[in-house]
Amino acid sequence: MKLFFKTLMPFAVAAIAATTLHSQENDQPIFKDGEAQIVPAFDTPSTWIREDLWVETEFDTDGDGELDRMHVDVTRPLQTESGLKLPVIYETSPYYSGVAANDPNLFYDVNHEIGAQEKPIANGVVVRRGKRPVISNSLIKTWIPRGYIVVHSSSPGTGLSEGSPTVGGDNESLAPKAVVDWLNGRAKGYKEIDSKEEVRAFWSTGKVGMTGTSYNGTLPLAAATTGVDGLEAIIPVAPNTSYYHYYRSNGLVRSPGGYLGEDIDVLYNFIHSGDESKRAYADSLVRDIELKNGMDRATGDYNDFWAGRDYLNDMKPMKAALLMSHGFNDWNVMPEHSYRIYKRAQEMGIPSQIFYHQNGHGGPPPMKMMNRWFTKYLHGIDNGVENDPKAQIVRENDARDQPTPYKNYPNPQAEDITLYLGKSTDGAGTLSIQKAKKSPKETLVDDATVSAKDMMKASTSQNRLLYLTPTLKDELHISGTPKVTISVSSSKEAANLSVYLVSLPYDEGKGIKITDNLITRGWADPQNHASIRKSEPLKKGEFYEVTFDLMPDDQIIRKGQQIGLMIFSSDSEFTVLPKPGTELTVDLSKTKITLPVVGGETAFSNTIN
């Protein structure tokens, strides 16, 4: 089948005039105030050239003995047909060509005792959708009029791309690398999936920027960790930077928010939309051996399998300028994912900035930030973006396009203060910078049928322990990553441990935002008190010190609120759900929370005195 006749013939007449068009001055990118402007000559969708092709990679993951080829589409202004070269904005995804249905049978049943044998999950049937040559229409209306070419590709084993999905395996990094190499003349592109007729990116300057959200935001980072030349800048939005951190938490089997019972093999089944005739091969090797043998749902321990799917471990070759974006209340891909990569990039001297908002999953930076980033690193315009504030934080009641600039994140004025727990009376204990005179041991009873929200609302509850600061007489700004140390014993050899940092009293009604009551949260497995790499059964009555980070945050707690540390066991939205009855006892004298407060202990004391 010939590839281009349906897509290029409508432009044949216009192409005759391309030389004349390109000779006009307005057929070049235009910049103002450090940003690429819309060029009328580029802003004519009816003349855009759209084509698809296959780029050859350096791997074979579908077992046919041939190097896998990735399906790629290109959308570019007509002027590139007659000599104009432009930089590329590129997005790649496993989702473009269809996914499995959202069927509960495709997820693990989490209603069982911790570590118990689980029944196998069903294999979802992915129905491929979409017609060639268009893989996606994302980005094109935004960036082509501003003087860019837009490229998309389907990930290995999805859509019309060859290979197998590996959910964080090396081929998912090498596939976009191959496309960047092709855009720079270092890899081969072909008109058909099985042809030898080559296609060259004669219209590319070789400078590439990548962006995308969620899995599509993970893949720009994956490509950047290869150190591929030509990938100048990336803007990952809510990226999953470690599959361990996505499916586990400090040794605990913990689902991403909204997807209780999902794990890495579930995601594999969800996205595997590639050639049906090759699915059995990939299923048998990748899903049923590599993923099943490595994921370890029984213990939740960190191991070499998970280390190989943690992009923090692969960052040494990375050099692409990094603009991260994330929501502090993203409980699907949690905010730690971006911060851990941003922090390392800064340590490496990579140009880096971070944008955080107060909402949930997704949410790119304001267009102005993205435009300045790509203008600098793809068009080479000296707009000084590297000197802009390192962090832009959207405050609680502000519009997302009106962030507050900070010198960095966490706020450089934040200092860690340590708060200690005091004896409970009337349903809550104390949380203070002074150690309480009486710090006994207190017990809660696990019951996964009681939601965390109900525990927060309750004045008393046997299912949680709650410790509160005095009422705040002024606002208090928290910026950074809280850390808890909890001395805990369990009536059983395994137990969940969940911790929420909350703002009370609890508000209900219209107009209430998630930030009004939830500050941040975290989860851990007490069996991993010594190391996330090794679980050991808990001995009844023996106390273990468990230290772990909560999710990073930047929030201003309102005057009139109390900050609360809520400790409980099973979390009905995130953890395995054993039968009620496990007792956890906390030794308050050895339990504490470290809180990053702007202004430190002085600011905290001033708000409560």
Side-chain angles (χ1 to χ4, degrees):
M1 180 177 65
K2 293 296 182 182
L3 181 59
F4 294 121
F5 74 94
K6 289 185 179 180
T7 57
L8 293 189
M9 281 192 68
F11 310 119
V13 175
I16 297 173
T19 304
T20 303
L21 285 172
H22 181 52
S23 67
Q24 299 174 7
E25 291 183 1
N26 64 355
D27 290 354
Q28 296 288 331
I30 299 171
F31 306 97
K32 181 181 179 182
D33 298 327
E35 297 180 55
Q37 304 296 303
I38 292 176
V39 180
F42 299 157
D43 194 17
T44 50
S46 63
T47 66
W48 291 344
I49 298 173
R50 307 201 71 166
E51 51 194 313
D52 69 340
L53 63 138
W54 279 261
V55 169
E56 187 175 78
T57 68
E58 56 190 271
F59 54 81
D60 170 21
T61 54
D62 56 16
D64 63 1
E66 302 286 341
L67 295 176
D68 296 339
R69 294 182 179 184
M70 298 300 105
H71 187 211
V72 176
D73 80 13
V74 176
T75 308
R76 53 190 173 92
L78 176 62
Q79 292 79 1
T80 58
E81 194 69 8
S82 58
L84 178 64
K85 292 188 176 184
L86 294 172
V88 171
I89 293 179
Y90 169 34
E91 183 177 20
T92 184
S93 175
Y95 298 139
Y96 289 143
S97 298
V99 293
N102 191 12
D103 181 347
N105 293 319
L106 305 181
F107 293 76
Y108 285 94
D109 182 355
V110 297
N111 294 284
H112 57 77
E113 297 305 305
I114 298 171
Q117 182 69 38
E118 296 175 308
K119 66 179 182 180
I121 56 172
N123 183 10
V125 177
V126 182
V127 179
R128 188 163 62 217
R129 61 172 172 78
K131 297 180 179 180
R132 297 166 55 202
V134 177
I135 295 175
S136 173
N137 286 313
S138 72
L139 307 175
I140 61 175
K141 292 181 180 179
T142 299
W143 295 110
I144 291 179
R146 289 176 168 85
Y148 295 90
I149 293 162
V150 171
V151 169
H152 302 95
S153 71
S154 292
S155 295
T158 72
L160 298 179
S161 286
E162 296 181 317
S164 169
T166 55
V167 195
D170 288 345
N171 71 334
E172 291 189 359
S173 299
L174 294 173
K177 173 187 179 294
V179 176
V180 175
D181 280 334
W182 173 70
L183 291 166
N184 281 271
R186 298 187 298 266
K188 292 183 178 181
Y190 297 94
K191 282 190 175 183
E192 296 287 350
I193 194 169
D194 55 0
S195 77
K196 294 183 179 180
E197 185 177 356
E198 291 191 30
V199 180
R200 291 181 172 82
F202 60 87
W203 30 258
S204 169
T205 64
K207 292 186 178 296
V208 182
M210 292 185 69
T211 189
T213 298
S214 196
Y215 209 139
N216 300 13
T218 299
L219 297 174
L221 176 65
T225 60
T226 68
V228 58
D229 290 336
L231 183 56
E232 305 293 334
I234 60 173
I235 307 179
V237 180
N240 176 353
T241 65
S242 161
Y243 284 91
Y244 183 84
H245 288 76
Y246 190 59
Y247 290 118
R248 307 287 183 268
S249 186
N250 302 296
L252 193 72
V253 175
R254 193 258 303 138
S255 303
Y259 300 93
L260 192 61
E262 185 183 319
D263 213 318
I264 194 166
D265 54 344
V266 177
L267 183 55
Y268 170 95
N269 283 337
F270 186 69
I271 65 173
H272 197 183
S273 62
D275 186 345
E276 291 86 347
S277 69
K278 296 181 179 179
R279 285 187 193 172
Y281 174 88
D283 289 350
S284 64
L285 289 182
V286 177
R287 186 192 63 194
D288 299 337
I289 295 179
E290 183 179 356
L291 302 187
K292 289 285 188 185
N293 292 346
M295 58 193 281
D296 186 8
R297 279 187 64 85
T299 72
D301 291 353
Y302 189 78
N303 55 28
D304 290 344
F305 168 83
W306 293 114
R309 284 167 165 78
D310 186 341
Y311 294 106
L312 189 69
N313 298 331
D314 297 333
M315 286 183 66
K316 187 175 180 180
M318 180 171 160
K319 53 182 181 288
L322 174 70
L323 172 58
M324 300 294 276
S325 179
H326 220 123
F328 281 124
N329 289 287
D330 184 347
W331 301 109
N332 176 2
V333 182
M334 301 190 188
E336 65 177 342
H337 282 269
S338 286
Y339 177 60
R340 61 203 297 272
I341 299 298
Y342 170 71
K343 181 180 178 182
R344 177 65 58 83
Q346 285 200 311
E347 293 168 352
M348 293 171 62
I350 295 171
S352 307
Q353 292 175 17
I354 197 162
F355 170 82
Y356 271 122
H357 56 81
Q358 302 293 339
N359 301 111
H361 189 51
M367 181 60 191
K368 183 179 182 68
M369 290 183 68
M370 298 179 72
N371 195 336
R372 285 174 58 78
W373 203 252
F374 284 147
T375 295
K376 163 72 176 185
Y377 294 106
L378 302 189
H379 278 294
I381 301 300
D382 187 10
N383 58 11
V385 70
E386 70 276 13
N387 300 318
D388 288 354
K390 297 296 182 186
Q392 300 273 359
I393 311 294
V394 179
R395 294 267 50 96
E396 289 72 15
N397 297 311
D398 291 346
R400 192 180 289 181
D401 62 353
Q402 297 294 322
T404 298
Y406 291 102
K407 289 184 178 179
N408 212 334
Y409 177 80
N411 189 309
Q413 296 179 355
E415 299 175 11
D416 285 343
I417 66 169
T418 301
L419 302 180
Y420 301 95
L421 284 58
K423 182 180 179 180
S424 295
T425 56
D426 297 325
T430 60
L431 199 58
S432 172
I433 55 176
Q434 302 295 330
K435 282 192 173 183
K437 293 181 180 180
K438 294 184 178 180
S439 297
K441 298 178 178 67
E442 298 190 332
T443 299
L444 64 91
V445 180
D446 183 29
D447 188 347
T449 67
V450 181
S451 71
K453 180 180 178 180
D454 286 342
M455 293 183 208
M456 291 168 63
K457 293 165 57 178
S459 57
T460 62
S461 173
Q462 68 171 347
N463 307 125
R464 53 89 166 139
L465 300 175
L466 179 65
Y467 304 91
L468 297 170
T469 67
T471 301
L472 302 183
K473 297 180 179 179
D474 203 351
E475 294 179 338
L476 189 70
H477 188 177
I478 295 172
S479 181
T481 304
K483 176 179 287 188
V484 294
T485 295
I486 299 176
S487 178
V488 63
S489 70
S490 171
S491 63
K492 293 184 179 179
E493 66 178 22
N496 296 314
L497 180 59
S498 303
V499 173
Y500 281 25
L501 190 66
V502 299
S503 176
L504 299 176
Y506 195 88
D507 296 311
E508 288 192 285
K510 292 183 178 180
I512 300 302
K513 303 185 294 295
I514 191 171
T515 53
D516 289 336
N517 294 116
L518 178 63
I519 300 174
T520 187
R521 47 191 170 188
W523 305 262
D525 185 350
Q527 292 188 105
N528 290 89
H529 61 92
S531 169
I532 62 171
R533 280 189 173 269
K534 185 173 176 57
S535 298
E536 58 180 49
L538 305 175
K539 296 179 181 179
K540 185 176 180 179
E542 185 168 328
F543 280 84
Y544 302 88
E545 284 197 3
V546 185
T547 298
F548 58 98
D549 289 343
L550 306 185
M551 292 298 140
D553 194 42
D554 193 291
Q555 190 168 329
I556 295 176
I557 313 303
R558 294 172 293 152
K559 175 183 177 180
Q561 295 292 100
Q562 292 176 279
I563 296 173
L565 179 65
M566 187 171 81
I567 302 171
F568 60 110
S569 184
S570 300
D571 190 327
S572 61
E573 294 183 74
F574 294 94
T575 68
V576 169
L577 308 178
K579 291 180 179 180
T582 302
E583 293 185 353
L584 293 185
T585 300
V586 175
D587 184 346
L588 304 192
S589 68
K590 298 179 180 178
T591 298
K592 61 186 178 181
I593 180 170
T594 301
L595 204 59
V597 173
V598 175
E601 191 170 306
T602 299
F604 180 80
S605 297
N606 288 342
T607 62
I608 62 173
N609 295 323

